[in-house]
Amino acid sequence: MIRRRLPLPFALLFVSGVLSLAEGRQHQEIRRYQAPEARQGVAVDEVFFYVVNNSAIGKYRRDTGERVAEWSCPEGEPMIHFNDGMLFEGRLYLSHSNYPGVPSTSSIEIFDAETLEPVDSISLGHGFGSFTWLDRWNGEWFACFAFYGNRAAEPARDPSWTQIIRFDERFRRLEGWVFPDGLIEKFANYSCSGGAFGPDGRMYVTGHDEKELYVVEFPEAGSILKWVDTIPIEAEGQALCFDPADPWVLWTILKRNKEVIVGRIDPPVD
């Protein structure tokens, strides 16, 4: 059983069910890139960033913003809805689902990061929810599976069924957690669209529309994650990643403008 308890910042207020820094952690924009694929998420390494649309990927240089490679397929042939991307050992792992189809089905689609050629596919079937994001922490996989209150709603399910699952190396379920009610209300009829572990070991997650980054921790006991902070950002939900070259630099997208936003968030005052 994994527990990553870290000391919280010393100046805390309890407001509307969430602990929040009195001085407020801030997000400072550094740069924006235009990218036609900027509809779902972004992943980044030291030289390139990778922008994800429903059924397309664009690879761009960080220094110039030039697109150097791309991959796409007709929507549904075979990819339906990419949600998020993350890089691991030279491969781009994409969270994929049949959204807005019901019942939800999900898969992990794996591409060579250099060529953007597909190299593997791991089907997760249905039962978990709609796969929205994937990350690694302490050598293990963590994934978010969403449920919705919109056109993708499933019978007897709503966003409160959204869950974070810890998997082993073969993507077998080990543990699961859910979000607190207050954060589910923030997600509204959508759910948790993006997430990644920050340098402090906390999870940083987004909803679908709010210009906010939510900070959550694993509980000491039970199955409900602890919502400990909210940071204002420029992106309106969607997937995100932290920069491997500068740990507190956050990469996000602004879907309506098809932009990638790079910004720095304040580290916690522990």
Side-chain angles (χ1 to χ4, degrees):
M1 186 75 69
I2 290 179
R3 292 292 177 261
R4 301 170 183 80
R5 295 291 298 147
L6 294 166
L8 291 177
F10 65 90
L12 296 171
L13 296 176
F14 190 78
V15 181
S16 301
V18 58
L19 288 168
S20 179
L21 280 171
E23 71 275 14
R25 295 174 66 183
Q26 298 297 313
H27 172 268
Q28 182 178 3
E29 186 175 321
I30 298 171
R31 183 172 182 178
R32 294 195 184 204
Y33 301 89
Q34 286 292 139
E37 302 88 358
R39 299 282 294 172
Q40 297 298 336
V42 59
V44 63
D45 60 27
E46 287 79 2
V47 180
F48 301 100
F49 62 96
Y50 307 77
V51 192
V52 180
N53 200 344
N54 286 350
S55 54
I57 312 163
K59 179 178 178 178
Y60 294 80
R61 290 193 60 88
R62 292 175 54 138
D63 53 356
T64 65
E66 175 192 4
R67 184 165 62 184
V68 297
E70 57 185 303
W71 181 93
S72 66
C73 70
E75 192 161 343
E77 299 178 16
M79 306 305 177
I80 301 170
H81 193 88
F82 288 141
N83 290 288
D84 170 64
M86 62 87 60
L87 291 154
F88 178 62
E89 295 184 342
R91 292 185 168 188
L92 179 64
Y93 288 70
L94 295 177
S95 309
H96 176 259
S97 72
N98 67 333
Y99 181 90
V102 292
S104 299
T105 64
S106 300
S107 65
I108 302 165
E109 303 300 331
I110 306 172
F111 290 74
D112 184 287
E114 182 176 356
T115 64
L116 291 191
E117 289 299 315
V119 294
D120 202 359
S121 176
I122 302 170
S123 176
L124 300 174
H126 60 74
F128 292 132
S130 186
F131 187 20
T132 57
W133 60 265
L134 179 71
D135 199 15
R136 281 182 68 85
W137 182 254
N138 284 350
E140 296 183 307
W141 296 104
F142 290 80
C144 181
F145 293 87
F147 287 88
Y148 300 96
N150 55 18
R151 60 183 176 146
E154 298 193 39
R157 298 289 187 271
D158 60 32
S160 67
W161 285 77
T162 297
Q163 59 184 327
I164 302 293
I165 296 178
R166 179 168 73 95
F167 289 102
D168 68 12
E169 287 297 316
R170 297 178 63 185
F171 290 98
R172 294 174 295 196
R173 178 179 177 142
L174 299 176
E175 285 188 279
W177 297 267
V178 300
F179 290 101
D181 290 344
L183 197 45
I184 293 295
E185 291 175 8
K186 284 281 192 177
F187 295 157
N189 285 327
Y190 286 89
S191 193
C192 180
S193 295
F197 282 89
D200 57 352
R202 297 175 172 101
M203 274 190 289
Y204 290 73
V205 304
T206 55
H208 191 269
D209 300 301
E210 297 291 336
K211 298 171 77 169
E212 293 177 334
L213 183 66
Y214 308 112
V215 188
V216 298
E217 290 183 341
F218 292 99
E220 294 177 353
S223 301
I224 302 174
L225 295 165
K226 295 179 65 176
W227 177 18
V228 298
D229 205 359
T230 300
I231 304 170
I233 58 173
E234 291 301 313
E236 297 167 348
Q238 305 307 313
L240 59 95
C241 68
F242 283 94
D243 196 322
D246 195 339
W248 287 109
V249 169
L250 185 73
W251 290 66
T252 56
I253 65 165
L254 186 59
K255 184 174 182 176
R256 58 186 169 87
N257 289 351
K258 297 183 179 179
E259 291 177 322
V260 174
I261 302 176
V262 186
R264 184 181 304 278
I265 60 173
D266 296 334
V269 183
D270 288 335

